[in-house]
């Protein structure tokens, strides 16, 4: 997606070979026009496949997932990383290791929002090693739901996440596939 690649080159900043800072348009300040275009692109790719919900992980996936859900006319479910006194009831849990933060967190969703037999579309901001996606897959499996597609805004193609998910048969559609990055620049596949 050219508009996204241009935003990454213009506003993104590679901190090092593993971390890409895109807080000016994606995960701190949000360029809603860009996210609307992102959502429409995901809807074009994944439309007509019988999805029942769009799911994402808080918080950086919320903007692209919201616009995707809007474009598809589907509800959005936000899986939680943070515990809360009001997040109670019949919950599904799994542990996820965050590549960016180097820590683990408990990913949680209410069973009411992920039902058996559902076909869900996962939208997330980044794909690196795939750990977050595997956490969502685990929760879907616990619920008896299936993940019918995975939409990624920015993929670090030099890491193994995409390959690991495709080897299991998942349709992974990434809008910007970063081949390499450093303080000197960013190169796309």
């Amino acid at each position: 997606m050219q508009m996204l690649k241009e935003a990454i080159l213009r506003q993104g900043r590679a901190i090092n070979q593993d971390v890409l800072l895109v807080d000016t348009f994606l995960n701190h300040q949000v360029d809603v026009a860009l996210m609307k275009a992102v959502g429409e692109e995901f809807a074009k790719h994944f439309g007509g496949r019988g999805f029942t919900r769009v799911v994402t992980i808080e918080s950086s996936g919320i903007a692209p997932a919201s616009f995707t859900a809007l474009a598809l006319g589907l509800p959005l479910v936000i899986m939680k990383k943070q515990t809360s006194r009001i997040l109670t009831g019949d919950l599904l849990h799994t542990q996820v290791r965050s590549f960016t933060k180097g820590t683990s967190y408990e990913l949680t969703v209410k069973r009411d929002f992920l039902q058996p037999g559902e076909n869900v579309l996962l939208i997330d901001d980044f794909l690196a090693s795939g750990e977050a996606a595997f956490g969502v897959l685990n929760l879907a499996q616990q619920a008896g739901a299936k993940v019918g597609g995975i939409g990624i805004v920015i993929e670090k193609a030099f890491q193994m996440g995409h390959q690991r998910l495709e080897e299991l048969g998942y349709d992974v559609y990434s809008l910007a596939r970063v081949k390499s990055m450093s303080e000197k620049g960013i190169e796309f596949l």
Side-chain angles (χ1 to χ4, degrees):
M1 183 179 174
Q2 193 59 35
M3 182 180 181
L4 175 61
K5 290 177 182 176
E6 289 170 6
I8 293 167
L9 292 174
R10 190 175 56 253
Q11 300 174 55
R13 188 168 58 99
I15 304 295
N16 55 43
Q17 63 200 28
D18 293 318
V19 178
L20 177 60
L21 186 63
V22 290
D23 61 352
T24 59
F25 64 89
L26 178 60
N27 55 21
H28 197 89
Q29 174 175 271
V30 176
D31 180 336
V32 293
L34 176 57
M35 290 305 107
K36 181 176 185 282
V38 162
E40 290 168 352
E41 180 64 25
F42 282 138
K44 186 168 71 173
H45 180 82
F46 289 111
R49 297 191 193 183
F51 289 109
T52 54
R53 297 179 194 264
V54 173
V55 298
T56 194
I57 299 171
E58 67 177 1
S59 66
S60 298
I62 293 173
S66 294
F67 282 102
T68 303
L70 183 65
L72 290 169
L74 295 173
L76 170 63
V77 175
I78 302 166
M79 297 181 175
K80 303 294 187 175
K81 291 184 195 175
Q82 305 295 324
T83 59
S84 166
R85 289 185 299 169
I86 61 171
L87 187 61
T88 60
D90 194 6
L91 304 174
L92 301 169
H93 306 271
T94 192
Q95 286 293 313
V96 174
R97 177 116 177 111
S98 169
F99 175 82
T100 305
K101 295 179 181 167
T103 59
S104 292
Y105 59 89
E106 185 173 59
L107 189 62
T108 306
V109 67
K110 283 188 176 182
R111 193 178 296 271
D112 290 346
F113 302 140
L114 195 57
Q115 295 288 311
E118 286 201 275
N119 181 22
V120 300
L121 172 61
L122 168 60
I123 301 294
D124 208 0
D125 60 337
F126 274 94
L127 175 62
S129 64
E131 294 306 312
F134 280 104
V136 173
L137 295 172
N138 182 295
L139 291 179
Q141 182 180 22
Q142 287 180 48
K146 98 173 184 182
V147 176
I150 301 170
I152 302 297
V153 179
I154 302 169
E155 175 190 332
K156 296 176 186 174
F158 52 89
Q159 294 186 355
M160 298 301 293
H162 189 117
Q163 181 180 338
R164 291 174 64 204
L165 292 164
E166 274 194 341
E167 285 174 356
L168 294 174
Y170 291 98
D171 176 13
V172 181
Y173 182 55
S174 302
L175 301 182
R177 299 187 74 203
V178 176
K179 178 180 178 182
S180 65
M181 60 186 190
S182 69
E183 293 146 2
K184 295 177 183 175
I186 300 163
E187 186 179 350
F188 297 103
L189 281 181

